[in-house]
Amino acid sequence: PLDLEARGAMAMAALMGATAFQKGLGGVHAISHALGGLAGYRLHHGTLSGILLPHVLAFNAPAVGHRYAALKRAMGVPDGVDLGDAVARLAARVGMPTRLAELGVDRAAIDRAAPLAERDHTNGTNPRRAGVDDYRRILQAAL
């Protein structure tokens, strides 16, 4: 609490997070909300989002893949390297789980979460329309 520089950085991070909410969160959050709210599981939203991001990037590529080059440049990802693969490798390097099964997610959770993800308010801001079958495939790929 006495480190004013750290407090300022945290305030800026919170502001940036709030700005992201206004732009729309899309499929990653739709699935994370759905899984995170399931009874019988104790799943961390941020960890879920990190695991799901590479898979949602792959799903969204047909709609917005042309924007991935800028993201790759910002992340220092070389040409020819898949953005989702780079994100997954980064997560692994920092010690995060990379598969939903590592968190105890099973096929029953997928069947329960997919329709919830489709109905989640953040689904409407995903750059590519995603339905229950799309979410089921994304979840199975991340399992």
Side-chain angles (χ1 to χ4, degrees), residues 19 46 106 112 121:
T19 302
D106 54 20
R112 290 169 51 203
H121 69 282

Side-chain angles (χ1 to χ4, degrees), residues 16-104:
M16 289 179 185
T19 302
F21 274 97
Q22 300 306 311
K23 297 297 285 178
L25 300 174
V28 169
H29 289 275
I31 302 170
S32 293
H33 292 157
L35 280 174
L38 291 179
Y41 299 87
R42 290 184 50 90
L43 302 169
H44 183 268
H45 180 78
T47 303
L48 290 170
S49 296
I51 292 170
L52 293 163
L53 182 57
H55 304 281
V56 175
L57 285 168
F59 174 79
N60 286 334
V64 291
H66 61 283
R67 294 182 168 175
Y68 290 4
L71 292 171
K72 287 170 53 173
R73 278 193 305 277
M75 293 175 60
V77 175
D79 289 339
V81 175
D82 179 77
L83 180 60
D85 290 343
V87 169
R89 283 195 303 274
L90 174 61
R93 271 198 318 272
V94 299
M96 286 188 60
T98 58
R99 310 299 306 174
L100 292 172
E102 294 175 63
L103 305 181

